[in-house]
């Protein structure tokens, strides 16, 4: 186990194309960090630089107390789990697990012990004499993780390891990976484009966009206090509603509606973007004034609840409501003032309320 420090790391291709731009992350010993972002944001490139599979243009990476910029991948004391499993098809599960240790000259009794321990942890003992083609996708992924476990590395690196699995198996495997990492106490750096994986697995999330860090925080911090409109739109399902508005005497004007602000937001007297999550909107109660009127386009029935999609002027809005209540074509809505988010229209960065501090 080891701390991993990524300090001002950049990766440049073809002269001036920066895939990763001055990224710094301190990963504590035993921490589970998830890199998340859209395709092309630089997350896999960053992971490959930690692994030694990509050269570093600028900055430094330390694993433990050692700078590993020029250290060969095999000497970095890391183990990587790939999306495509990367198992040897002609070898049995037992041979796949033992192969790396055998190449390193590990004594045979030690190899047998580590293979048996990993098989017990992952519940793959009955598969040890099978070939990969005789295994399901989930079983193959367990073998790939077992091959990483037997290494007893300082850090695990996961490169979208669940992308090839069906939805039900992904849910099961992400829980297993999280429990396994906590049980072993090994530092982990995990790459995914799936924000739900990031939310459910991470100790901390690193949101990347165009090679830069948008925000680092716990899942709840990133969800409840997004530092930019990009983070707000990427983290959460459904995505946060983001609506063009104007500041007007400290309040929000959204089309013909004025939303009075009461929670200390310093709303600039200019064009802004305000955000609100679907669960932070409710139907107007008796005797209440509505903040805005929604024209319904369609409804998604989810069993325990429903998502109502519609428009306020020209802006789209999704509202989370209980199932079973009758709906008309138009709904009068009230917003939770303490859960509104204001973003600068030009920069996309969060405008903090006077009652909120940075961090």
């Amino acid at each position: 186990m080891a701390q991993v420090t990524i300090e001002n790391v950049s990766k440049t291709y073809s002269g001036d194309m920066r895939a990763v731009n001055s990224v710094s992350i301190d990963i504590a010993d035993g921490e589970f960090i998830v890199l998340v972002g859209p395709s092309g944001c630089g997350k896999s490139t960053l992971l490959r630089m930690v692994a030694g599979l990509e050269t570093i243009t600028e900055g430094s990476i330390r694993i433990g107390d050692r700078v590993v910029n020029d250290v060969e991948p095999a000497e970095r004391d890391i183990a990587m789990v790939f999306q495509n499993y990367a198992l040897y098809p002609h070898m049995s599960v037992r041979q796949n697990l033992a192969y790396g240790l055998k190449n390193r000259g590990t004594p045979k009794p030690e190899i047998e012990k580590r293979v048996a321990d990993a098989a017990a942890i992952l519940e793959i003992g009955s598969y040890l004499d099978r070939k990969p083609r005789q295994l399901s996708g989930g079983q193959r992924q367990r073998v790939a993780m077992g091959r990483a476990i037997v290494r007893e590395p300082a850090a695990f690196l996961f490169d979208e390891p669940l992308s090839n699995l069906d939805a039900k198996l992904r849910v099961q495997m992400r829980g297993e990976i999280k429990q396994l990492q906590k049980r072993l106490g090994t530092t982990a750096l995990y790459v995914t484009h799936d924000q739900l994986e990031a939310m459910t697995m991470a100790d901390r999330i690193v949101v990347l966009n165009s090679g830069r860090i948008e925000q680092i925080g716990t899942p709840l911090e990133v969800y409840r206090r997004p530092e930019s409109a990009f983070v707000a739109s990427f983290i959460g399902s459904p995505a946060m509603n983001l609506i063009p508005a104007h500041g007007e005497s400290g309040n929000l004007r959204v089309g013909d509606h004025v939303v009075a602000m009461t929670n200390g937001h310093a709303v600039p007297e200019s064009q802004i973007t305000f955000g609100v999550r679907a669960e932070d909107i409710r139907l107007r109660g008796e005797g209440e004034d509505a903040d805005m009127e929604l024209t319904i386009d369609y409804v998604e029935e989810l069993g325990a609840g429903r998502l109502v999609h519609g428009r306020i002027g020209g802006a789209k809005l999704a509202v989370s409501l209980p199932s079973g209540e009758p709906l008309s074509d138009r709904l009068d809505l009230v917003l939770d003032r303490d859960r509104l988010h204001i973003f600068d229209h030009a920069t996309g960065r969060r405008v903090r309320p006077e009652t909120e501090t940075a961090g």
Side-chain angles (χ1 to χ4, degrees):
M1 296 183 290
Q3 179 179 356
V4 178
T5 304
I6 301 168
E7 186 172 1
N8 296 320
V9 165
S10 297
K11 176 66 178 181
T12 304
Y13 294 107
S14 302
D16 60 353
M17 193 196 91
R18 287 209 162 190
V20 176
N21 197 338
S22 299
V23 166
S24 295
I25 311 169
D26 289 323
I27 305 171
D29 187 5
E31 190 174 21
F32 197 120
I33 291 286
V34 176
L35 305 177
V36 66
S39 297
C41 71
K43 56 188 183 296
S44 289
T45 301
L46 182 59
L47 189 79
R48 290 172 62 84
M49 286 193 286
V50 176
L53 303 177
E54 293 275 359
T55 58
I56 299 170
T57 305
E58 298 172 8
S60 66
I61 294 175
R62 291 198 306 275
I63 299 176
D65 297 327
R66 181 173 61 152
V67 175
V68 297
N69 289 34
D70 300 317
V71 176
E72 291 296 317
E75 304 302 322
R76 293 195 179 199
D77 196 17
I78 55 93
M80 195 161 182
V81 180
F82 296 92
Q83 175 181 348
N84 62 359
Y85 318 134
L87 303 178
Y88 295 106
H90 63 287
M91 294 184 181
S92 68
V93 169
R94 189 189 311 276
Q95 290 168 327
N96 266 282
L97 295 177
Y99 184 74
L101 297 177
K102 185 177 179 181
N103 280 353
R104 288 172 176 78
T106 306
K108 187 175 180 180
E110 179 65 16
I111 293 176
E112 292 176 351
K113 179 181 182 302
R114 291 195 193 184
V115 168
D117 289 346
I121 289 170
L122 294 165
E123 300 180 354
I124 57 174
S126 60
Y127 312 144
L128 288 176
D129 295 320
R130 296 186 189 181
K131 299 291 179 62
R133 67 177 177 272
Q134 298 173 295
L135 305 178
S136 68
Q139 291 165 349
R140 291 179 193 180
Q141 193 56 275
R142 283 192 181 90
V143 176
M145 288 191 292
R147 191 174 52 190
I149 290 170
V150 298
R151 291 276 309 277
E152 297 181 355
F156 290 132
L157 306 182
F158 296 92
D159 190 8
E160 303 208 43
L162 307 183
S163 296
N164 289 339
L165 305 180
D166 62 52
K168 182 178 180 180
L169 191 52
R170 279 203 304 271
V171 172
Q172 177 185 340
M173 289 299 298
R174 73 189 185 212
E176 291 185 7
I177 290 174
K178 178 67 173 178
Q179 291 180 61
L180 175 65
Q181 186 268 341
K182 288 302 179 188
R183 177 177 175 181
L184 299 175
T186 306
T187 307
L189 188 59
Y190 187 106
V191 161
T192 182
H193 65 276
D194 186 332
Q195 59 87 27
L196 190 57
E197 273 184 31
M199 288 289 292
T200 55
M201 298 178 74
D203 294 327
R204 285 190 298 155
I205 294 173
V206 180
V207 185
L208 291 167
N209 182 29
S210 300
R212 296 181 180 272
I213 292 177
E214 289 276 341
Q215 186 172 354
I216 301 178
T218 67
L220 282 181
E221 287 170 347
V222 173
Y223 184 82
R224 291 178 176 171
R225 286 290 180 268
E227 290 297 322
S228 68
F230 173 84
V231 175
S233 66
F234 195 83
I235 299 295
S237 181
M240 182 183 289
N241 297 294
L242 295 173
I243 301 172
H246 279 80
E248 185 177 284
S249 302
N251 298 317
L252 286 173
R253 174 169 286 280
V254 184
D256 296 331
H257 304 277
V258 175
V259 180
M261 301 299 290
T262 59
N263 65 339
H265 268 294
V267 182
E269 299 282 324
S270 62
Q271 187 174 2
I272 58 174
T273 300
F274 98 87
V276 60
R277 295 209 178 270
E279 66 268 26
D280 296 326
I281 308 171
R282 59 180 174 81
L283 296 177
R284 177 181 64 85
E286 187 175 349
E288 284 187 303
D289 293 327
D291 290 320
M292 51 186 61
E293 183 183 70
L294 179 76
T295 301
I296 295 179
D297 290 329
Y298 65 98
V299 177
E300 291 181 284
E301 294 290 354
L302 304 177
R306 55 167 50 136
L307 274 177
V308 179
H309 298 265
R311 288 165 287 114
I312 297 174
K316 294 181 179 180
L317 188 80
V319 185
S320 179
L321 297 175
S323 291
E325 293 186 12
L327 298 175
S328 59
D329 292 338
R330 296 176 182 272
L331 300 178
D332 290 331
L333 303 177
V334 176
L335 308 178
D336 184 340
R337 297 297 193 279
D338 294 327
R339 295 296 179 91
L340 298 186
H341 308 264
I342 308 299
F343 302 99
D344 183 273
H345 177 74
T347 67
R349 303 306 297 178
R350 181 179 184 83
V351 177
R352 297 185 183 278
E354 296 171 1
T355 55
E356 180 181 313
T357 58

